[in-house]
């Protein structure tokens, strides 16, 4: 039998989805810590849905893998009412699971699977995350599931971009943001720098972690409060005034869940970037400059 491979102080780490919001930051952090990082940035580089796609790494002594490569996006994508979008979430992710998870299992490579606090939602996104978590659970302890809560950071704008990035760009570019909801819903947000730090810490603690761990800031914030702070930040940094136009309908109802932040991981990791600080850094990044001293 192949021995289960555990990460060393400096080891070879495979990041699936290294071109995404979390993956890019995670990759830079791993490299700074001295790890050799093998990357699958996106589908144009390597289509993980295709049989034997990961065999290009067969000769690499991979100590750990971060499985971030899923068909995901912000709420406007995962809550889309278009049946084609919902079917694509199911079909594409299932095909990725069918190639990646057996490959990791056959090679006894320990890995972290990134899921979501929306795993229980009645949606294609919730359903596919449930499938992924159950698959990981049945791989004999190789994988750990990390449930992430609303990660934000700089990213390209598009159908899959997330709400805080959309709002910052809307404020800076147009001076107006048209919300899809009435803004009274509350969310927990976590900056991508904190998310990446949590993932690396989870890798180091892998052997002792439970099957599922929540990764979140733990701070609830109303979207209207986020908007007010963001408008002030954009105006203060760019001089651009910003107005929010709220929709008449509330957000899609979500069960009010509380993350469990009292586990092993949380003894050595906590989210450190406050929402206001993270938004200031986001404005700086979209202006094409490094965040100011004190931000992040």
């Amino acid at each position: 039998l192949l021995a289960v491979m555990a990460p060393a102080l400096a080891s070879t780490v495979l990041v699936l989805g290294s071109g995404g919001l979390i993956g890019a930051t995670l990759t830079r952090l791993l490299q700074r810590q001295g790890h050799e990082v093998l990357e699958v940035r996106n589908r144009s580089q390597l289509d993980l849905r295709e049989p034997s796609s990961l065999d290009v790494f067969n000769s690499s002594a991979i100590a750990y893998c971060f499985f971030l490569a899923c068909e995901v996006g912000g709420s406007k994508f995962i809550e889309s009412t278009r049946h084609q979008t919902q079917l694509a979430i199911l079909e594409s992710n299932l095909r990725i699971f069918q190639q990646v998870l057996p490959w990791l299992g056959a090679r006894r490579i320990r890995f972290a699977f990134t899921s979501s606090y929306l795993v229980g939602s009645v949606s294609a996104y919730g359903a596919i995350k449930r499938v992924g978590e159950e698959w990981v659970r049945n791989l004999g302890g190789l994988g750990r599931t990390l449930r992430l809560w609303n990660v934000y950071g700089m990213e390209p704008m598009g159908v899959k971009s997330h709400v805080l990035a959309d709002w910052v760009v809307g404020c800076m570019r147009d001076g107006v943001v048209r919300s899809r909801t009435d803004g009274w819903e509350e969310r927990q947000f976590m900056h991508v720098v904190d998310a990446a730090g949590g993932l690396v810490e989870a890798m180091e603690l892998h052997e002792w972690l439970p099957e599922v761990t929540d990764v979140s800031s733990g701070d609830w914030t109303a979207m209207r409060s986020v908007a007010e702070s963001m408008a002030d930040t954009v105006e203060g940094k760019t001089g651009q005034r910003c107005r929010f136009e709220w929709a008449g309908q509330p957000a899609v109802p979500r069960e009010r869940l509380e993350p469990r932040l009292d586990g092993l991981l949380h003894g050595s990791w906590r989210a450190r970037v406050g929402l206001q600080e993270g938004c200031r850094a986001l404005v700086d990044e979209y202006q094409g400059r490094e965040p100011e001293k004190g931000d992040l």
Side-chain angles (χ1 to χ4, degrees), residues 13 15 26-35 37 66 200:
V13 180
V15 180
L26 172 64
T27 296
R28 290 192 294 270
L29 178 57
L30 288 167
Q31 290 170 336
R32 286 200 300 269
Q33 294 185 354
H35 298 282
V37 181
F66 289 99
V200 172

Side-chain angles (χ1 to χ4, degrees), residues 137-187:
R137 189 175 291 116
N138 284 281
L139 282 177
L142 284 178
R144 297 292 186 269
T145 292
L146 303 175
R147 288 182 183 160
L148 306 181
W149 292 56
N150 296 312
V151 178
Y152 70 97
M154 184 179 177
E155 59 184 322
M157 292 296 98
V159 66
K160 295 181 180 179
S161 53
H162 296 74
V163 61
L164 296 194
D166 287 344
W167 281 9
V168 165
V169 171
C171 276
M172 294 173 63
R173 183 186 61 200
D174 306 321
V176 61
V177 171
R178 295 174 179 86
S179 173
R180 297 171 54 248
T181 73
D182 61 13
W184 293 115
E185 70 275 18
E186 293 186 332
R187 298 283 184 264

Side-chain angles (χ1 to χ4, degrees), residues 42-95:
N42 50 45
R43 196 172 295 163
S44 62
Q45 178 199 356
L46 188 68
D47 192 341
L48 295 174
R49 301 172 301 177
E50 295 300 320
S52 304
S53 54
L54 284 170
D55 287 352
V56 296
F57 298 113
N58 279 348
S59 61
S60 301
I62 297 168
Y64 202 81
C65 175
F66 289 99
F67 186 0
L68 308 172
C70 285
E71 193 82 26
V72 297
S75 60
K76 65 178 184 284
F77 176 71
I78 63 175
E79 294 174 356
S80 170
T81 57
R82 296 180 68 246
H83 294 305
Q84 284 183 324
T85 299
Q86 297 302 313
L87 287 173
I89 290 172
L90 291 170
E91 179 186 15
S92 186
N93 285 308
L94 187 57
R95 289 176 62 192

Side-chain angles (χ1 to χ4, degrees), residues 7-9 33 35 64 199-208:
L9 290 178
Q33 294 185 354
H35 298 282
Y64 202 81
L199 293 182
V200 172
E201 188 67 19
M203 176 180 73
E204 301 301 334
L205 297 173
H206 181 98
E207 182 178 353
W208 303 281

